Amino acid sequence: MFSSTKNRKQTADFVGIVSAIVCLVHCLAGPIILGTSAHLHEHSHFFLDPAWNYLFLGFGFAAVLFSTKHTKSKFLRYSLWTTYAALALAVIFETYADYLHYVVYAASVGLIIAHIVNLRKHFS
């Protein structure tokens, strides 16, 4: 599976894309589930547990670390780390400011795009 450096970078980009997509779905589904389900006010929902945020951050950190380890493009390296840092800070401090939810969405989309660009660079 990890027979070469190229395969490791591709796998890291795929993990980063999937992790960011699942994170985005989690962040978008939470308000939808809360808004449409009256019984959630009485019961906690497994998918809405805040621990998921930190799990996604862990996967995202590993994906960015391995994706950038051998990336020659400084722009891609900075893009991946900047969007990850924005995502991490927004997730950590999102309870303090409502607008940080939008930063989480934007940073997740930014990570997805940066990983796709990095992945395409490996294939070309």
Side-chain angles (χ1 to χ4, degrees):
M1 181 175 172
F2 293 120
S3 60
S4 72
T5 302
K6 185 176 182 178
N7 286 343
R8 274 186 288 223
K9 289 188 288 188
Q10 290 171 350
T11 302
D13 284 322
F14 282 126
V15 168
I17 291 167
V18 170
S19 176
I21 288 172
V22 173
C23 176
L24 187 61
V25 168
H26 165 77
C27 292
L28 291 172
I32 293 169
I33 291 171
L34 283 175
T36 59
S37 180
H39 83 286
L40 283 177
H41 298 288
E42 299 170 7
H43 307 289
S44 63
H45 195 279
F46 175 73
F47 189 68
L48 299 178
D49 188 345
W52 284 104
N53 297 340
Y54 299 104
L55 180 68
F56 297 135
L57 285 178
F59 280 120
F61 179 81
V64 170
L65 180 68
F66 289 112
S67 292
T68 60
K69 199 169 191 171
H70 300 288
T71 299
K72 293 178 178 130
S73 170
K74 284 185 179 183
F75 175 76
L76 276 174
R77 199 174 306 135
Y78 291 136
S79 296
L80 285 163
W81 281 116
T82 301
T83 53
Y84 176 79
L87 176 65
L89 290 171
V91 165
I92 291 167
F93 295 111
E94 72 183 337
T95 57
Y96 297 109
D98 290 333
Y99 73 89
L100 289 177
H101 296 292
Y102 300 110
V103 174
V104 169
Y105 304 148
S108 293
V109 170
L111 267 176
I112 293 166
I113 292 168
H115 277 295
I116 289 171
V117 170
N118 197 32
L119 189 61
R120 289 188 61 153
K121 192 170 179 81
H122 294 308
F123 282 120
S124 54

